[in-house]
Amino acid sequence: MSLRFVLGPDLTPALREQIVDLWVDVTNAGGAVGFVAPVTTADVRPLAEATFAAVTDGPDRILVGYEADRPVAVLFLADNRFGLKAHWGILKRVMVHPATQGRGQGQALMREAARRAPELGWRALHVTVRGGLGLERFYDRLGYREVGRLPGALRVAADDDRDEILMWRDLDTLD
């Protein structure tokens, strides 16, 4: 089933709860979206609410992919909040529900973000990736290239520091 994408849906209380639940499910399935499993809704909610506030109060945006009426794919398009960087944006919390992974929905979500980014005045996209999971290969296939690493920047356990990988995609050509 293909996804129906909505950029900037109304963040109703019901949608907020669905996104928090998605965030928990993605994290607990091993997703690198700001937490390390196991997490609960109580763990995720403070960061989720701050992220939602950056959308409702501006200047960030949210892109939601729906399967029927259920959100199964989400990412946040974050503004740089700095005039000299207004021509590019940051993709954060790229999430696809674990039960729907393997169907190309992550690729579809990222392609939709790249298609919609010029509407925000963006000519390039930046995303950070947690090292050690092989996620950079996913982004490579979508036209992103590694532009840097912060060695050991992400502490996922007392004895496990991971690189933060910086990925970049120019939007001059869309696939």
Side-chain angles (χ1 to χ4, degrees), residues 11 16 18 28 59 66 92 100-101 113 118 129 131 139 142 148:
L11 280 172
R16 288 171 186 247
Q18 290 173 310
N28 286 335
Y66 292 90
K92 293 185 174 184
T100 67
Q101 288 180 2
V129 179
Y139 293 100
L142 292 166

Side-chain angles (χ1 to χ4, degrees), residues 40-117:
T40 66
T41 56
D43 298 321
V44 171
R45 189 172 314 284
L47 179 57
E49 289 301 332
T51 305
F52 297 149
V55 171
T56 57
D57 300 341
D60 296 348
R61 306 289 293 275
I62 184 173
L63 178 64
V64 179
Y66 292 90
E67 194 173 72
D69 290 330
R70 178 179 166 225
V72 297
V74 171
L75 62 73
F76 295 90
L77 299 104
D79 183 271
N80 278 294
R81 294 164 175 79
F82 183 61
L84 298 178
K85 296 181 179 182
H87 61 289
W88 62 273
I90 307 163
L91 302 182
K92 293 185 174 184
R93 315 296 180 217
V94 178
M95 300 183 270
V96 174
H97 195 279
T100 67
Q101 288 180 2
R103 299 190 222 164
Q105 292 179 341
Q107 290 180 4
L109 177 65
M110 293 299 293
R111 285 190 175 107
E112 182 68 7
R115 188 182 76 76
R116 302 296 296 268

Side-chain angles (χ1 to χ4, degrees), residues 111-132:
R111 285 190 175 107
E112 182 68 7
R115 188 182 76 76
R116 302 296 296 268
E119 296 173 22
L120 305 175
W122 296 350
R123 296 185 0 221
L125 293 172
H126 168 63
V127 65
T128 61
V129 179
R130 183 184 299 170

